[in-house]
Amino acid sequence: MKIGVLALQGAVTEHIVSIEKAGAEGLPIKRVEQLAEVQGLIIPGGESTTIGKLMRKYGFIEAIRDFAGLGKPIFGTCAGMIVLAKRIAGGEPGHLELMDITVARNAFGRQRESFECNLEVKGINEPVRAVFIRAPLINETGPNVDVLTVYNDEIVTAREGNLLVSSFHPELTEDYRLHQYFADMVEASLAAKQ
C-alpha cells in the first residue's frame, strides 16, 4: 500500500516517516502523474494560499479532485485542511472544495500562540498528541461530516467519507496513530474495490 504526500510545501519527510511507522510506503508527490502510483494522499501543512497557487500552477487541482472522485482517501493537516474545505470563512474562495466544511484560517492566533496538547480522537483508544501551529478551525460542517475531535468547543478533526482533516500537525510528534487511522481508511477503500 502506497500513500503519497503532496510535496509542494510543508513537513513532507515527517509525514512519510509517520506513514511508514503505520506500515505503508510513503511517496513524495511532485508531479500529477505520480498520483496514479498511490492509493491515498496527504496534503500537509504550510501556507494554504501558497499551496493553492502551486497546485494550480502544476495542474494538481483537477487531478486531486479526480483522485477523490475515485474514492481514494485524502488527509489534510493544518493548511491541508483549508485546501480541502468547500468554504473558507471570510468569503475567500476555496481551493479543492471537496469537503463539506467551513474553515477559519489562523483561528488559534499567530506563531507565538502555538501549543501542544493531548486530544481524544473518535476511533482511537488513547489520546493523541497534537501540535497546533497557526492552526485553522472548522466553523461549520455539512450533514455527512463526522466530527472526530473537539477542543475547547471547537472542531479540530473531522471525516467525511474518504476525506480526513486535522487542524493540528500529527506528523510533528512521535505519535503516528492518526496516520494509522488514515492508513486503515486507505486499506478499507482498497478492500471495498475488490
Side-chain angles (χ1 to χ4, degrees):
M1 182 170 65
K2 291 184 182 177
I3 295 176
V5 180
L6 190 63
L8 300 177
Q9 194 190 44
V12 176
T13 304
E14 290 85 344
H15 272 295
I16 288 173
V17 167
S18 294
I19 288 164
E20 294 185 341
K21 284 181 183 173
E25 185 182 340
L27 191 70
I29 303 293
K30 296 179 180 178
R31 298 183 320 279
V32 167
E33 54 271 19
Q34 289 178 287
L35 289 172
E37 299 172 38
V38 296
Q39 292 82 44
L41 179 68
I42 295 176
I43 302 174
E47 209 290 305
S48 59
T49 306
T50 303
I51 294 169
K53 283 179 184 167
L54 291 169
M55 285 170 62
R56 281 178 180 80
K57 180 178 178 179
Y58 296 110
F60 275 106
I61 298 286
E62 285 309 316
I64 293 173
R65 284 180 182 153
D66 291 346
F67 187 90
L70 295 171
K72 292 184 177 184
I74 302 176
F75 179 17
T77 62
C78 197
M81 177 166 97
I82 298 167
V83 168
L84 280 171
K86 279 194 176 171
R87 297 166 301 278
I88 299 170
E92 278 184 71
H95 300 287
L96 291 168
E97 298 177 343
L98 287 171
M99 191 165 177
D100 194 5
I101 55 175
T102 304
V103 173
R105 296 167 49 126
N106 299 333
F108 280 110
R110 301 187 179 278
Q111 192 88 15
R112 68 175 180 273
E113 277 104 34
S114 300
F115 65 97
E116 282 188 48
C117 66
N118 290 329
L119 295 174
E120 298 285 340
V121 178
K122 187 173 158 187
I124 299 176
N125 290 337
E126 301 282 322
V128 168
R129 192 73 183 156
V131 178
F132 288 85
I133 303 170
R134 291 173 54 223
L137 286 173
I138 299 172
N139 285 347
E140 297 169 354
T141 62
N144 298 317
V145 175
D146 189 12
V147 174
L148 302 180
T149 309
V150 174
Y151 174 78
N152 286 352
D153 299 323
E154 304 283 6
I155 301 167
V156 296
T157 317
R159 177 177 177 180
E160 182 182 22
N162 60 326
L163 306 173
L164 176 68
V165 292
S166 70
S167 298
F168 53 90
H169 292 269
E171 77 283 4
L172 298 181
T173 73
E174 295 295 311
D175 188 343
Y176 63 90
R177 285 172 303 147
L178 202 55
H179 288 82
Q180 184 68 64
Y181 182 101
F182 182 64
D184 292 346
M185 284 174 59
V186 176
E187 201 166 345
S189 81
L190 287 171
K193 289 184 177 122
Q194 290 177 353

